Amino acid sequence: MTVFERLRAFLWFLIAAVYFFFARVVAERAANGLSSGAWLEVVNRSVLLFLLVIGYAAMGYIGQRQRHPVKTMGLELRAGWRREFALGAALGWGGVVACVLPIALIGGLVVTLYTTWQQFGLILVDLVILAVAALAEEVAFRGYPFQRLIDATGPVIATLLMSVVFGLIHLGNPGATGASTLVTIFAGWLLAVAYLRTRALWVGWGFHFAWNASMGILFGLPISGITIFSPVVSSNAVGPLWITGGDYGPEGSAIGALVLLVLMLVLVSATRDLKHRYAQPVIVPGGIPVDLDAIARRQHEAAMGAAPASPATPQLVQIAGIPNANPVVLQAPVAEVPGAEIVVPQEPPVSKAEREKVEGEHPPQES
């Protein structure tokens, strides 16, 4: 890409970043005006996701002339997208188990259960919130803005920059520390690699959703310092900070950082087929078109000499019949015998009386 094209792509990235903060403000105000209670976050996250998809699709259509901007964003419902989501979900669940197991073995978990029907009903609401929120973050940090940053700086620098931005955004969460910011940067790095390997958001969305749902709903631990997504199981981790992460949760621990780095390697291995299918570089033709067949044919003719001219096609001559002529009687070929004479049969003579008789029976007609 030229320098102008890179600057133009970076400008669209800045516009997309500003639009993200604008959409967050609009979504919060809309949620406060349309709902309350348990459904407040559902409306908030849903409106945010809607604004991000519509806004970024419009930017792709206007700025990059994309015919299908939603698909290009990474939301194409291609064959196997559910399997990709399940792959990411399996990695996310496994990563949380790997973070919680050292806490249970070295420290401890103080678990409190809330078994009222209302609490069980909140599980479904929280699952919807976490699913929509995870997809909204993937669209914002691995969708259109990330693509424009790749166009401007390349995939490596874009991954590093977007991962840092993803970590800094979470500095406002409760209990955030320098360690939690580093772990969140690693998480953003892993999710960016998931997009680069598949050119879609399904693996990243599955990982993001399963990680948060397992951390909050299944084990009752804080999700990036937020504790409102534990309606039935609520746990307090006991142990050193490098294992528990303190109030921020396992995402602020050294164990969390190590688990994410290991998951990076597992993700690269698990998405090998998807990378081969969807993430191969596009070969753009360049130069001047060349007819290789014509060049080879000319070289062959120069080496072998000019081809002999083909003989002219013989002309067909039609010989018309001669009127009032005696028909030619075809005779079988007669073998030539030395000393033998060839006798040609002749017609018997016709007398004058017979000729007058024939002409009397068939008089000539006037024309």
Side-chain angles (χ1 to χ4, degrees), residues 9 11-24 47-75 135-149 162 165 169 201:
L11 177 61
W12 278 107
F13 164 74
L14 295 178
I15 295 174
V18 173
Y19 179 78
F20 168 71
F21 291 101
F22 169 77
R24 287 182 62 179
V47 173
L48 176 60
L49 176 61
F50 174 78
L51 292 176
L52 291 178
V53 172
I54 294 299
Y56 290 155
M59 293 180 192
Y61 184 80
I62 297 173
Q64 286 71 44
R65 305 297 182 186
Q66 297 173 354
R67 298 184 59 185
H68 305 285
V70 176
K71 295 181 180 180
T72 307
M73 197 184 306
L75 297 176
L135 184 57
E137 288 193 1
E138 290 306 304
V139 171
F141 292 97
R142 263 71 62 178
Y144 177 83
F146 185 48
Q147 295 171 4
R148 301 290 72 77
L149 191 58
M162 190 60 76
V165 173
I169 287 291
L201 301 179

Side-chain angles (χ1 to χ4, degrees), residues 145-158:
F146 185 48
Q147 295 171 4
R148 301 290 72 77
L149 191 58
I150 291 174
D151 294 339
T153 63
V156 176
I157 297 178

